[in-house]
Amino acid sequence: MRNVTFLAEKCLKTPVSDLIVGMFIESLDRKNQLVSITNSGLIKSQADINTLIKHGVKYVWVDLTRSTFTPAISQPVQCVPVIEEMSLRSFVRKQWMSRDMAQVKAGELLSESKRLIQKVLFETFEGKAIEIAPFENLADNMINMMCQDLDALSCMSALRNKDAYLLEHSVNVAFLLLTFGRFLKLEQSILKELVIGGILHDIGKIKVDINVLNKPGKLTNVEFEHIKSHQNHAIDILSSIKGLSQVSKDVCLMHHEKLDGKGYPLGLSGDEISLYGRMSCIVDIFDALTASRSYKEAMSPAAAFKILLSLTPFHLDKTLIYDFIRCVGIYPVGSLVELSNGLVGIVWTANKSDVLHPIVKCFYSVINRQYVNVRMVDLSKSELYIERGIVSTCLNIDPTPFY
C-alpha cells in the first residue's frame, strides 16, 4: 500500500470518468484503499480508460508532474504577425532574431506594457478618459513577439518582482490569455481583444485602499467586500472607454464570476459566463498562485494546476482547465526545475513533441549548494530527467541573472 499523505502531496485523486489521454496514473483507489499497480504509467488511449471502468475502478491517483497532456490533441493556429506598417525586408530580418536578441526584445515589450498600465492607472485615478489606441498597439506588438519567439516571451514573463505585483499580474494575464487563445485556435482579432482585456482586467483596483489590497493577513468581511468593489468600479471605468470590445469587457468583468453563480460582481452562472470570461477566471487564478507577494511565496505550476482542478465544477470550467494545462505544459517555459542529477535550471525551450523533455538552462547545483557554470541540457538527448518543478525561494537562490 502507498502512503495516502505522500500521494495527496504529490498526486491528485481523480474520478476515472475524468481521465484523459496523457495523464500518468500512480495508483488505483478502491474503497479509499490505495492499490499499487504494476503497469502504472501514461494513459495512452481511450481503451486504457475503458479497461479501468470495466474492472470497476472509480478513482485513481494522477501524478500531474509526470502527465504529458500531449499538445497533439489540439494544435495552435498558425500565427500571422501584424505587418501592415513593416517592410518585408524588416519583417524577414526580425524572423531571424537570435534567442538573446529575442530575450532583450521581449523584456523591452513587457517593460513597455508595465509603463502603459502604470500610466493608465494614474490617469484613471485622476479621472481622465482612457484611450484604447495605445492598448491596441501594445496587443499587436505582443502578438508579433509571440510569433517571433514565444519561448523568449514566456521566459521574460516568468521574471517577477513581488513589489510590482499589480503591474506584472496584468501583463502576465494578458500574455497567458494570448497563448491560451492561440492554443484554442481563436481568430487573431479575438487574440488582440483578449490581450487588451487582460491588461485592463484589474483596472478597478485603482479605487481600492492599497493597505487593504496588500494586507498580509486574512481579510475581515468588511475588507473582503471592499476588495470585491473593484469590479463595480471597473464597470464604471470600462463603460467610458470608447471602442472597447465585448470580448475585452468579458475578460475584465467576468474573471471573478463562478459557474455556480456565487461569484461577483453580477453573480453570473453557467452559460451566462462566456468562453472569454471562463478563460480569464482560470488564467487570473493561475498567475496569482504562481507569483510571489509580500505576504506569500510563489507556488509551482504543478501545484497550481491541482488547485485549479479542485475548483471544478462549481467555480471553473474543467474542460478548459485541461486545455490550459496542455497549453502551458506541466513545466512551462520560464519555470524552474530540478533534474535527476541535482542541477537546477530554467525551462528554456519547449519540446513540442515531448513536453517532459525540454531544453533546460542549468545554473545551480542542489548537491553542492552553489551556482555552477551555465549548461544547456537537451533532455530529449540526455539520460537526465526532470525530478520536480520548484520555486526559487525553496532553495534561496536568485535565477534572475540567468534569464
Side-chain angles (χ1 to χ4, degrees), residues 177-282:
L177 284 170
L178 172 59
T179 55
F180 194 13
R182 183 189 179 195
F183 181 84
L184 295 176
K185 302 182 180 180
L186 301 181
E187 295 290 333
Q188 190 154 313
S189 59
I190 298 295
L191 299 183
K192 182 174 179 177
E193 292 166 2
L194 287 174
V195 171
I196 294 171
I199 292 171
L200 291 171
H201 85 285
D202 269 341
I203 189 70
K205 285 184 177 176
I206 193 63
K207 302 289 188 179
V208 172
D209 186 334
I210 193 169
N211 294 316
V212 177
L213 195 61
N214 294 325
K215 182 180 176 180
K218 184 178 180 180
L219 297 175
T220 66
N221 290 337
V222 172
E223 289 169 335
F224 183 56
E225 290 301 317
H226 178 62
I227 290 287
K228 287 168 61 177
S229 72
H230 81 273
Q231 285 296 77
N232 298 107
H233 293 304
I235 293 174
D236 296 333
I237 295 169
L238 297 179
S239 65
S240 67
I241 304 178
K242 295 181 180 179
L244 187 66
S245 73
Q246 188 59 49
V247 171
S248 297
K249 290 179 181 178
D250 284 357
V251 168
C252 295
L253 300 178
M254 294 183 180
H255 69 278
H256 286 299
E257 298 288 358
K258 298 181 180 181
L259 292 177
D260 64 4
K262 295 180 179 179
Y264 64 93
L266 301 178
L268 303 178
S269 64
D271 293 338
E272 292 178 316
I273 306 174
S274 70
L275 168 65
Y276 317 116
R278 295 177 187 218
M279 291 169 64
S280 66
C281 289
I282 293 169

Side-chain angles (χ1 to χ4, degrees), residues 14-302:
T14 305
V16 170
S17 58
D18 287 346
L19 291 177
I20 59 175
V21 174
M23 285 183 167
F24 189 97
I25 295 180
E26 180 72 26
S27 293
L28 307 183
D29 187 295
R30 284 180 172 159
K31 296 181 180 179
N32 292 322
Q33 288 189 329
L34 301 179
V35 180
S36 295
I37 49 178
T38 304
N39 296 322
S40 62
L42 290 176
I43 295 291
K44 297 180 179 178
S45 66
Q46 183 61 41
D48 294 338
I49 300 173
N50 293 340
T51 298
L52 292 170
I53 296 173
K54 180 180 178 181
H55 286 83
V57 179
K58 301 295 184 183
Y59 292 91
V60 295
W61 289 85
V62 172
D63 187 341
L64 288 175
T65 65
R66 300 174 73 184
S67 299
T68 61
F69 300 105
T70 172
I73 295 173
S74 179
Q75 292 293 340
V77 67
Q78 179 65 35
C79 189
V80 181
V82 183
I83 57 174
E84 290 86 357
E85 299 180 4
M86 186 187 301
S87 70
L88 180 60
R89 180 177 298 178
S90 173
F91 174 69
V92 171
R93 187 184 302 122
K94 288 176 181 289
Q95 304 313 296
W96 291 96
M97 198 185 311
S98 71
R99 178 58 183 269
D100 287 343
M101 290 174 60
Q103 293 278 120
V104 172
K105 287 277 292 181
E108 292 173 349
L109 174 61
L110 295 176
S111 295
E112 175 193 345
S113 303
K114 285 181 274 191
R115 285 194 296 271
L116 176 60
I117 295 169
Q118 196 166 33
K119 177 175 180 288
V120 168
L121 287 173
F122 178 77
E123 291 178 346
T124 302
F125 185 77
E126 293 287 302
K128 297 179 181 178
I130 298 176
E131 297 291 333
I132 194 69
F135 294 98
E136 292 176 331
N137 293 334
L138 180 61
D140 285 338
N141 291 338
M142 193 173 287
I143 292 172
N144 281 336
M145 188 69 237
M146 178 186 70
C147 295
Q148 292 167 23
D149 199 322
L150 176 58
D151 288 341
L153 193 54
S154 299
C155 266
M156 295 309 293
S157 68
L159 274 175
R160 306 297 290 259
N161 178 351
K162 61 186 178 183
D163 295 324
Y165 173 76
L166 182 58
L167 301 180
E168 293 182 344
H169 176 62
S170 298
V171 174
N172 277 14
V173 166
F175 169 64
L176 287 169
L177 284 170
L178 172 59
T179 55
F180 194 13
R182 183 189 179 195
F183 181 84
L184 295 176
K185 302 182 180 180
L186 301 181
E187 295 290 333
Q188 190 154 313
S189 59
I190 298 295
L191 299 183
K192 182 174 179 177
E193 292 166 2
L194 287 174
V195 171
I196 294 171
I199 292 171
L200 291 171
H201 85 285
D202 269 341
I203 189 70
K205 285 184 177 176
I206 193 63
K207 302 289 188 179
V208 172
D209 186 334
I210 193 169
N211 294 316
V212 177
L213 195 61
N214 294 325
K215 182 180 176 180
K218 184 178 180 180
L219 297 175
T220 66
N221 290 337
V222 172
E223 289 169 335
F224 183 56
E225 290 301 317
H226 178 62
I227 290 287
K228 287 168 61 177
S229 72
H230 81 273
Q231 285 296 77
N232 298 107
H233 293 304
I235 293 174
D236 296 333
I237 295 169
L238 297 179
S239 65
S240 67
I241 304 178
K242 295 181 180 179
L244 187 66
S245 73
Q246 188 59 49
V247 171
S248 297
K249 290 179 181 178
D250 284 357
V251 168
C252 295
L253 300 178
M254 294 183 180
H255 69 278
H256 286 299
E257 298 288 358
K258 298 181 180 181
L259 292 177
D260 64 4
K262 295 180 179 179
Y264 64 93
L266 301 178
L268 303 178
S269 64
D271 293 338
E272 292 178 316
I273 306 174
S274 70
L275 168 65
Y276 317 116
R278 295 177 187 218
M279 291 169 64
S280 66
C281 289
I282 293 169
V283 165
D284 179 64
I285 295 173
F286 176 79
D287 187 71
L289 291 173
T290 54
S292 292
R293 301 289 300 273
S294 57
Y295 53 84
K296 81 167 188 71
E297 298 300 339
M299 185 179 291
S300 71

Side-chain angles (χ1 to χ4, degrees), residues 67-71 326 329 331 351-358 386:
S67 299
T68 61
F69 300 105
T70 172
R326 293 187 189 101
Y331 304 113
N351 184 340
K352 302 302 181 184
S353 61
D354 185 353
V355 294
L356 294 182
H357 295 90
I386 295 176

